[in-house]
Amino acid sequence: MVANRGEIALRIIRAIQELGHTSVAIYETPDSAALHIRVADEAVWIGNGPRKDYLSIETIIKAAKSHGVDAIHPGYGFLAENPDFPKACEEAGIIFIGPPYEVIRDLGDKVMARKIMADAGIPMVPGTDNLPVGEEGVKVALEFSAKYKYPIMLKATAGGGGRGIRLIENDGQLREQLPLARSEAKAAFNNDNVYIEKVVIKPKHVEVQIMADKFGTTVHLGTRDCSIQRRNQKLVEIAPSMIEDTDLLDRICETAVQAAKAANYFNAGTVEFLVDRDYNFYFMEINTRIQVEHTVTEMITGIDLVRTQIKLALGMKLSFTQDDVKLRGHAIEMRINAEDPQNNFMPEGGKTVSVYRSPGGYGVRLDGFVYQGFTIPEVYDSLLVKLTVFGFSWNETVDRLRRCLRNYNITGPKTTIPFYLNIVDDPDFQKGDFDTSYLDTHPHLFEYKVDSSEVSKLAKLIAEIHYKKENPYAI
Ligand code: ADP
Ligand code: ADP
Ligand code: MG
């Protein structure tokens, strides 16, 4: 059973089917027309939602039992990092495809994760423990910032998805933001703990995919760079990192394996690091699940991560060694969202996709779930499709990406495609030169010229509508 929706549900259903197992989808009412239901072998309606049934452990376990489910894959988001979910699966005699309860619990707590890593000698930026409540917390925070200087990062201990992180630049802001951060953390993550980290200025976000079996073997599958972010959320991800110092990248990967071992890690996971401008690297967190951007790693390693996740959860040994993992070429993934980049990335949910024509060809991979005639539910996130391209050289990969973005025709909702077209034409992106400040330092990416290719696309669309009137059965 796949306890998720959207593109990741489809991704996992495909792996289940390729392994010869029966796949079971779940869905809430707003997802009644969703593709994952149609592709899965069986589907269970779990309620009207929205979101609450996808988040209900009790409902999902009940649905799983009613369909004789052997194993559950949580995907990402929803219940994927809720330690109670693997616990409930275990109690129900169902295999959870992911790490055990204790690992998710400990690593989901950023302060606890930092403690485990500090004990294992993993490098990290200075930070505090959970801040005490009230004036005592302000005192600890002020002492920290006096020692390490502003700016500092105020983070929700149970945070995730780029939420619950605030940049603080002076004492006044600190006093003002601390209680707000705490109450927001409570509301968003049901945990009001916050702590402080020293800020790494203009870092690169470099992360390492790891895979561990139950027999003590842990391997890494190279690096990804996810520096291109908006509000601490990833938009574009590449593999491998463009850092030229391959010895440094090897050290980061080895450190990631060490970190995973320190946490008694099992199954697929991602160890995230920040790399500063002097090429020092610091542990940030471990994500205990398959990630959105896993596709770029699959493209450059040839290893099917979800297939491997399932086989490991069923108790098999890793079938490849570290030496078998060979990185080849470059891959770039762009998250195409139904959002209006010219209007502060306002979600475009509720709109119907009237034309959907996707690019294809060598080195192109699409992980999406929309089709022509599909109305995007307003109540879920706005990711429509992940466009992942592979190329032998970085230049070839960027050229392929530009071609695909130009060929893509999604009409109905506005999408982030025009914004990505600006990115592929940006000289710094073309050089592979970016860090987490990229969008702030490249404001021209948000400006659109009226592009003649847009005009010609419109002309083609009008001709197409005319043609369809004359030829009603044409596709
Ligand atoms: P989440 O759990 O939401 O993914 P992370 O701790 O992984 O949170 O941080 C998300 C992003 O926030 C990072 O990729 C980075 O851009 C920024 N960030 C987090 N901590 C720091 C820090 N100490 N210094 C600089 N940037 C940071
Ligand atoms: P299979 O189900 O085909 O036996 P495995 O369980 O052996 O696959 O491996 C899972 C994933 O790892 C697959 O995507 C496979 O292509 C990849 N893989 C398996 N063996 C190797 C190897 N020696 N080198 C690189 N990749 C491998
Ligand atoms: Mg993170």
Side-chain angles (χ1 to χ4, degrees):
M1 173 176 271
V2 182
N4 216 299
R5 63 174 300 280
E7 69 83 20
I8 194 65
L10 273 166
R11 167 70 188 89
I12 299 160
I13 289 165
R14 289 176 181 137
I16 295 169
Q17 292 177 337
E18 286 171 14
L19 282 164
H21 300 299
T22 303
S23 55
V24 183
I26 58 170
Y27 67 101
E28 296 178 342
T29 305
D31 258 340
S32 298
L35 204 52
H36 74 282
I37 305 171
R38 302 188 189 185
V39 176
D41 303 289
E42 294 172 24
V44 199
W45 175 77
I46 54 166
N48 285 321
R51 289 191 301 273
K52 69 174 175 41
D53 299 302
Y54 283 136
L55 285 166
S56 165
I57 293 176
E58 199 189 326
T59 303
I60 291 172
I61 296 285
K62 206 172 116 204
K65 281 186 171 163
S66 74
H67 280 247
V69 161
D70 301 298
I72 297 184
H73 195 306
Y76 55 68
F78 293 116
L79 294 171
E81 286 168 293
N82 182 337
D84 295 336
F85 194 36
K87 213 176 185 183
C89 286
E90 196 182 332
E91 282 160 14
I94 298 170
I95 294 168
F96 176 79
I97 303 171
Y101 157 76
E102 295 83 1
V103 171
I104 296 183
R105 180 196 59 198
D106 291 352
L107 296 179
D109 178 311
K110 288 180 197 281
V111 169
M112 174 64 84
R114 283 171 56 90
K115 272 188 194 138
I116 296 169
M117 297 309 147
D119 288 346
I122 307 287
M124 65 186 69
V125 289
T128 65
D129 226 321
N130 285 323
L131 293 177
V133 186
E135 204 42 44
E136 186 58 26
V138 177
K139 201 179 133 217
V140 175
L142 289 173
E143 277 166 19
F144 182 88
S145 43
K147 182 165 175 199
Y148 292 104
K149 309 283 174 263
Y150 287 106
I152 57 166
M153 215 55 128
L154 183 57
K155 290 174 115 170
T157 306
R163 295 176 310 142
I165 300 176
R166 285 157 199 253
L167 187 75
I168 308 285
E169 291 175 301
N170 53 54
D171 289 355
Q173 273 182 10
L174 181 64
R175 286 184 179 282
E176 184 189 294
Q177 297 284 322
L178 186 53
L180 294 176
R182 207 182 269 292
S183 56
E184 264 186 34
K186 177 74 186 162
F189 312 110
N190 195 30
N191 178 332
D192 71 355
N193 280 322
V194 294
Y195 75 105
I196 287 173
E197 274 177 23
K198 183 177 153 66
V199 168
V200 182
I201 308 286
K202 294 195 172 192
K204 287 181 190 291
H205 172 120
V206 176
E207 59 183 37
V208 180
Q209 178 70 53
I210 54 133
M211 197 59 94
D213 67 15
K214 285 184 178 159
F215 306 91
T217 306
T218 305
V219 298
H220 70 77
L221 283 82
T223 56
R224 296 188 282 255
D225 180 300
C226 311
S227 300
I228 301 184
Q229 305 177 350
R230 180 177 170 270
R231 299 185 175 162
N232 302 319
Q233 286 171 20
K234 302 161 185 169
L235 286 178
V236 179
E237 299 102 337
I238 69 169
S241 157
M242 295 289 281
I243 291 174
E244 282 167 22
D245 182 348
T246 50
D247 287 344
L248 171 67
L249 292 181
D250 286 345
R251 283 206 306 282
I252 294 176
C253 289
E254 281 155 22
T255 306
V257 169
Q258 226 183 306
K261 286 186 171 159
N264 289 321
Y265 206 83
F266 165 65
N267 213 283
T270 299
V271 188
E272 296 189 334
F273 296 94
L274 292 175
V275 180
D276 72 14
R277 286 176 296 181
D278 298 322
Y279 295 97
N280 300 300
F281 64 92
Y282 308 97
F283 170 84
M284 189 160 49
E285 64 163 344
I286 299 188
N287 290 312
T288 54
R289 55 176 160 84
I290 193 77
Q291 282 189 286
V292 177
E293 61 271 22
H294 75 279
T295 58
V296 289
T297 298
E298 294 185 322
M299 297 294 256
I300 64 157
T301 59
I303 294 173
D304 182 326
L305 292 177
V306 178
R307 183 184 179 93
T308 307
Q309 275 196 297
I310 296 170
K311 296 187 85 165
L312 296 185
L314 297 180
M316 295 181 197
K317 279 190 178 168
L318 262 178
S319 58
F320 51 88
T321 64
Q322 190 64 65
D323 284 344
D324 293 325
V325 180
K326 300 256 179 336
L327 308 186
R328 187 162 179 271
H330 298 264
I332 308 173
E333 182 218 61
M334 288 185 153
R335 304 185 186 195
I336 298 178
N337 291 336
E339 288 172 358
D340 181 0
Q342 278 187 296
N343 185 17
N344 209 18
F345 290 78
M346 189 74 86
E348 290 273 301
K351 304 236 169 105
T352 300
V353 177
S354 55
V355 178
Y356 183 80
R357 191 164 306 144
S358 53
Y362 176 65
V364 180
R365 167 176 179 174
L366 296 168
D367 291 76
F369 70 106
V370 297
Y371 51 86
Q372 202 149 311
F374 179 73
T375 302
I376 302 157
E378 275 174 285
V379 291
Y380 305 115
D381 70 67
S382 52
L383 179 64
L384 294 183
V385 53
K386 304 185 303 200
L387 168 63
T388 310
V389 298
F390 168 82
F392 190 75
S393 69
W394 173 252
N395 283 343
E396 178 187 332
T397 314
V398 173
D399 289 345
R400 182 157 294 137
L401 184 58
R402 182 187 301 104
R403 186 266 294 173
C404 288
L405 290 167
R406 284 187 180 163
N407 286 169
Y408 228 130
N409 187 344
I410 303 176
T411 308
K414 292 192 178 108
T415 73
T416 42
I417 291 175
F419 172 70
Y420 290 141
L421 274 165
N422 283 352
I423 291 185
V424 288
D425 284 336
D426 173 55
D428 288 329
F429 181 75
Q430 289 170 352
K431 280 185 274 178
D433 179 12
F434 35 80
D435 57 47
T436 62
S437 71
Y438 180 72
L439 294 194
D440 293 332
T441 51
H442 295 70
H444 68 274
L445 297 172
F446 298 90
E447 290 159 19
Y448 299 106
K449 354 173 216 334
V450 176
D451 155 3
S452 60
S453 79
E454 285 298 310
V455 175
S456 77
K457 256 191 214 159
L458 273 178
K460 273 198 271 183
L461 197 62
I462 293 167
E464 213 171 284
I465 292 168
H466 183 70
Y467 176 78
K468 274 194 190 149
K469 274 196 186 143
E470 310 273 305
N471 304 279
Y473 299 109
I475 295 170

